[in-house]
Amino acid sequence: MTKTMEFKGRCLCGEVAFEGEAPDEPISTCHCKQCRQWGSGPFDAYSLPLKNLQFTAGEDAVKYYESSDFARRGFCSKCGSNLFWHADRHPQWKDRISIAVGALEQQLA
Amino acid sequence: MYGEVGMSDLKIYKGKCLCGEVSFKAEAPKKEVGLCHCTMCRRWNSGPFHALAVPFDALKVESGEENISYYRSSDYARRAFCSNCGSSLFYHGDKIPEIAHEVYFSAGLLEEPTGLKMAGHIFCASKGDYYEIEGDLPQHETV
Ligand SMILES: [Zn+2]
Ligand SMILES: [Zn+2]
């Protein structure tokens, strides 16, 4: 059995909220210029199967921007929080989504 | 807070959001990039906010002003983002007298190479639990 973790997240203004349970996998950090242009610095992402993500509030407040031929980026239209990177038109990756780690509830250092 | 260098050392900054709708130019004192690890900045950006202090008056919007949305994230500050692509643009403590004259501009927007250096880290006490702050630069618990 793969170890799983429960997660909960929300944007800065609280309009958009989501939760789920997914395999407990390490976070990765993307340093590409697109990610840095989007969120000031590297994008800290938690990747999981798309089906494991459930919205609990404000799904309609998420706006998507098509940042490439194969991917889109979701953000809160009210507060601008960077929320998701989703390669929705990529044959191998479309069933996964990367969530901005900063949106997740977590222990402080 | 963010790094101070000689006021006479002016630099031309150019930057734009991910979709390119919003672009900026500023002629301002050369500064270093500061990282803010507070929970609000990390919720907004996925990780620490990489910012550069630029005088508010020096920041010129070259295109896409109509795409700049403001979110009031506290009683004393607002955050600007591109309403088309969601890029974080700047943090402005507009109701904080000591810093109302400047904005903390997203370093990721800048044309590269930037020629800038990092100054240090603020709000380290609220950093995420999944990373460590590496290096020898100053780390402040708050500001
Ligand atoms: Zn929001
Ligand atoms: Zn944009």
Side-chain angles (χ1 to χ4, degrees):
Chain A
M1 277 276 302
T2 324
K3 200 172 157 234
T4 63
M5 70 161 224
E6 286 179 25
F7 63 87
K8 259 185 189 219
R10 64 169 175 86
C11 66
L12 181 56
C13 76
E15 189 76 15
V16 182
F18 51 84
E19 61 183 30
E21 188 172 350
D24 190 0
E25 282 175 19
I27 279 149
S28 55
T29 297
C30 178
H31 297 259
C32 83
K33 182 62 179 169
Q34 283 202 1
C35 278
R36 292 186 295 107
Q37 226 161 350
W38 202 41
S40 86
F43 185 55
D44 288 352
Y46 170 57
S47 162
L48 69 156
L50 183 61
K51 62 176 170 44
N52 296 39
L53 172 70
Q54 273 97 43
F55 284 92
T56 52
E59 185 169 3
D60 55 348
V62 180
K63 184 169 174 179
Y64 290 94
Y65 166 66
E66 291 194 354
S67 51
S68 68
D69 290 346
F70 59 89
R72 60 182 189 164
R73 290 167 191 260
F75 63 98
C76 172
S77 56
K78 202 177 153 199
C79 70
S81 290
N82 300 166
L83 298 172
F84 313 112
W85 181 84
H86 181 207
D88 62 321
R89 281 149 292 143
H90 189 286
Q92 279 110 53
W93 302 342
K94 61 180 169 47
D95 299 328
R96 294 187 70 82
I97 190 164
S98 294
I99 301 179
V101 180
L104 300 178
E105 305 298 343
Q106 54 193 287
Q107 305 292 312
L108 296 179
Chain B
M1 180 165 172
Y2 295 101
E4 297 288 336
V5 284
M7 290 297 285
S8 57
D9 195 2
L10 285 178
K11 184 176 160 68
I12 294 180
Y13 296 103
K14 278 186 177 186
K16 61 176 163 62
C17 67
L18 178 57
C19 75
E21 288 285 330
V22 184
S23 61
F24 299 93
K25 195 176 174 179
E27 188 172 357
K30 191 170 179 188
K31 288 282 178 90
E32 294 175 334
V33 175
L35 267 67
C36 179
H37 297 262
C38 86
T39 310
M40 291 177 82
C41 277
R42 292 190 296 104
R43 268 197 203 283
W44 202 42
N45 292 298
S46 88
F49 185 46
H50 290 49
L52 169 85
V54 173
F56 187 55
D57 292 343
L59 189 67
K60 306 288 179 226
V61 179
E62 296 221 290
S63 68
E65 185 142 29
E66 68 282 7
N67 290 304
I68 303 178
S69 283
Y70 290 93
Y71 167 64
R72 184 151 290 284
S73 52
S74 64
D75 290 344
Y76 48 85
R78 58 183 189 161
R79 291 168 191 261
F81 63 98
C82 171
S83 58
N84 187 51
C85 71
S87 290
S88 306
L89 303 175
F90 57 81
Y91 168 95
H92 185 203
D94 60 333
K95 304 283 171 64
I96 307 174
E98 302 79 39
I99 62 165
H101 64 283
E102 58 189 7
V103 299
Y104 298 116
F105 188 80
S106 158
L109 305 177
L110 296 173
E111 278 180 6
E112 297 179 350
T114 66
L116 301 177
K117 290 196 164 65
M118 253 173 66
H121 305 267
I122 62 168
F123 286 100
C124 297
S126 40
K127 81 165 186 69
D129 61 0
Y130 63 94
Y131 66 90
E132 296 304 328
I133 301 174
E134 318 248 324
D136 299 327
L137 293 171
Q139 297 185 20
H140 304 278
E141 285 276 294
T142 58
V143 287

